[in-house]
Amino acid sequence: MQPRRRLAMQPVWTSRPRKRRHRTDQWQGGRAPAVPKHTWLTAAALFLLLAIVPQTSEGANCLNCVGGHLLPCFAPHSDTEVLCFVYADAANEICPPGTSNCVEASTTPKIIVNCAECVLNTQGPCKHENDGTCVDYSSSSDVAPYTCPSGTVECSSTPGYPTLGSTNLPSGSICTSDGDCASDDCSSGTCGAGTNLAPASGCSLGLECASGSCTGSLCDQGTNLPSGAACSVGTECGASSCAGGTCTQGSNLPSGTGCSMAAECGAGACTAGLCAVGANLPAGTGCSVAAECGSGTCAEGVCAAGNNLPAGAGCVDSSECGSATCTAGQCAAGTNLPSGVGCAHSSECGSGGCSNDVCTAGSNLPSGSGCASTDECASGSCDANTCAAGSNLA
C-alpha cells in the first residue's frame, strides 16, 4: 500500500480571483484602508476608562475611600475616610511606599496615625518606650496585622503618647488637599516643603521650621527668633512678643537678640538675624555686656547712666560727662578740668595730665588752673575747682 501523499494547502480560487495582499504597508495603491472614525473613538474611551479606574481583583478593594474609588492600597486621611491607591507591583500585590494593603474587603481599613515627637527624625505609628524612636507596624507574618513590634507602643491607642493629626502632615506625606499639610501645599498628591513653620507643625527638615529645628516630624519651639518668624509664645521671640502667631518687631534690642532690621537694635545694626555688638552706647540703649556702653555699665540689658565720663563717651545728659557737656550723644571735650574729672586728653586737664580717662592731680599750679584741692595750687588756694590768685608768692 502506497503511503498517502500530504497535499500542500492551496488557495481556493473562485471565478473571480482575489487580489493577493503583501505587507500591510504595500496595499494596492500604496495606502492602507481607512479605519472608521468611531473605531478610534471607542478605543480612546476604553484607554481612558482603564487609566482612571484601575482594574483590581474582586474582593481586594478598600472601603470608605475618598472619592469612592475601589482600590487595594490605602493611607490615612480622616477618622472615617482613607486615601486609596493602586498596587505599585500588581503581580505581587505590593502597595506603594507609605500605604498599606486593606485587611479585608468587608471592613473599613485601619486608620494609621503616626506618633508625634519622635526622636532622630523617625516616623511611624509605634514608639519605643526607651529611646523615643518611632517605627512601622511589625511586618512579621506570624503576628496579627497592625501589631507594634516588641518594646514599642501604639501611640494612637496609648494615653500620653501624642500623634500627628491628618491636617498637620509633614512634607513628603501623601495628601489630597492643601489643608492636609502643615505647609498648606499639596502638589501631585504629596505635601510640599514648608517655610517658617510654627512650633508643633509637621516637618521633615529643620530648615522648614522658624526655629530651625525639626524633631520627630514636628517643629521645635524656637528661641530668640527674629521679628516675622512663626511663634506660639512670646518667649520664643527675641523681642519677647508673639502676636497672631508671628514674632513682633522689637526696639532697642541688646546685642545677640534676634532681629530682622537694624532699627530694632540698640546698636543700630542687625547682622545675620542678630543685633550686632555695640560700642560706646549711651545710657538707656540695649546692651549685652558693659563694654558696649559709654558708661561702662550694662544693667538688665540696658546701658546705665554714666558719671564723670570722658570726652567722646556715649551720653544722654550732660550730667554724665566730666566736661558737663553732652553733645549729639557724646561727651564733649573739656578745658582746664580739675583732677579726678573724666578726660580723654591731657590738654583737657588743668594739671596737664590725663591718666586712665581721669585728670591727674597737679602740683604748684598757677592761678586759674583746674584743681580739686589746695595742695595742687601754687597759691595754696583752690576755689570752685580753680586755683586762686596768690599774693607775695615766692
Side-chain angles (χ1 to χ4, degrees):
M1 182 176 180
Q2 294 290 330
R4 299 177 63 182
R5 295 178 61 188
R6 178 174 295 178
L7 298 178
M9 296 296 293
Q10 298 292 331
V12 179
W13 299 100
T14 63
S15 58
R16 186 178 180 182
R18 290 177 296 181
K19 292 180 179 179
R20 188 177 181 184
R21 292 180 178 176
H22 298 282
R23 294 184 310 175
T24 55
D25 59 347
Q26 293 179 343
W27 295 88
Q28 184 181 8
R31 297 180 60 186
V35 177
K37 185 176 182 180
H38 66 82
T39 303
W40 289 111
L41 293 176
T42 302
L46 179 59
F47 175 81
L48 290 175
L49 180 62
L50 291 174
I52 296 173
V53 185
Q55 302 302 297
T56 57
S57 58
E58 185 67 23
N61 295 323
C62 306
L63 297 179
N64 296 346
C65 298
V66 172
H69 301 301
L70 296 176
L71 304 175
C73 305
F74 78 97
H77 177 66
S78 69
D79 291 338
T80 58
E81 291 184 311
V82 293
L83 302 177
C84 297
F85 304 86
V86 297
Y87 287 123
D89 181 351
N92 297 304
E93 296 188 348
I94 297 177
C95 288
T99 68
S100 302
N101 271 301
C102 294
V103 181
E104 50 186 328
S106 60
T107 60
T108 301
K110 180 179 179 66
I111 305 297
I112 297 178
V113 181
N114 282 343
C115 303
E117 301 176 9
C118 302
V119 302
L120 301 178
N121 273 342
T122 54
Q123 296 185 53
C126 308
K127 178 180 282 190
H128 283 283
E129 298 176 274
N130 295 330
D131 61 16
T133 56
C134 298
V135 296
D136 202 351
Y137 289 112
S138 176
S139 58
S140 175
S141 59
D142 59 355
V143 299
Y146 306 111
T147 300
C148 285
S150 176
T152 69
V153 296
E154 185 178 45
C155 294
S156 60
S157 61
T158 307
Y161 284 81
T163 58
L164 292 175
S166 61
T167 58
N168 188 36
L169 298 176
S171 55
S173 300
I174 296 172
C175 58
T176 56
S177 65
D178 291 343
D180 294 339
C181 308
S183 63
D184 200 30
D185 173 25
C186 178
S187 301
S188 301
T190 303
C191 289
T195 57
N196 195 31
L197 296 178
S201 296
C203 58
S204 295
L205 299 171
L207 56 83
E208 297 180 79
C209 307
S211 65
S213 177
C214 175
T215 303
S217 298
L218 290 177
C219 289
D220 296 320
Q221 280 203 338
T223 56
N224 197 30
L225 299 177
S227 55
C231 58
S232 56
V233 291
T235 52
E236 296 181 84
C237 306
S240 300
S241 176
C242 177
T246 303
C247 290
T248 58
Q249 286 189 6
S251 62
N252 196 31
L253 299 176
S255 57
T257 302
C259 58
S260 295
M261 59 190 72
E264 298 181 86
C265 305
C270 178
T271 304
L274 295 175
C275 288
V277 175
N280 197 31
L281 300 176
T285 303
C287 59
S288 294
V289 293
E292 297 180 86
C293 304
S295 66
T297 303
C298 178
E300 297 183 358
V302 178
C303 289
N307 178 47
N308 196 30
L309 299 178
C315 59
V316 174
D317 189 79
S318 294
S319 62
E320 298 179 80
C321 305
S323 64
T325 304
C326 178
T327 304
Q330 289 190 339
C331 291
T335 57
N336 199 30
L337 298 176
S339 57
V341 173
C343 59
H345 306 284
S346 296
S347 58
E348 297 181 83
C349 304
S351 65
C354 178
S355 177
N356 295 324
D357 293 330
V358 176
C359 290
T360 58
S363 175
N364 200 33
L365 298 176
S367 59
S369 298
C371 59
S373 66
T374 56
D375 297 339
E376 298 179 79
C377 303
S379 65
S381 176
C382 178
D383 184 25
N385 294 124
T386 303
C387 289
S391 61
N392 195 29
L393 296 176

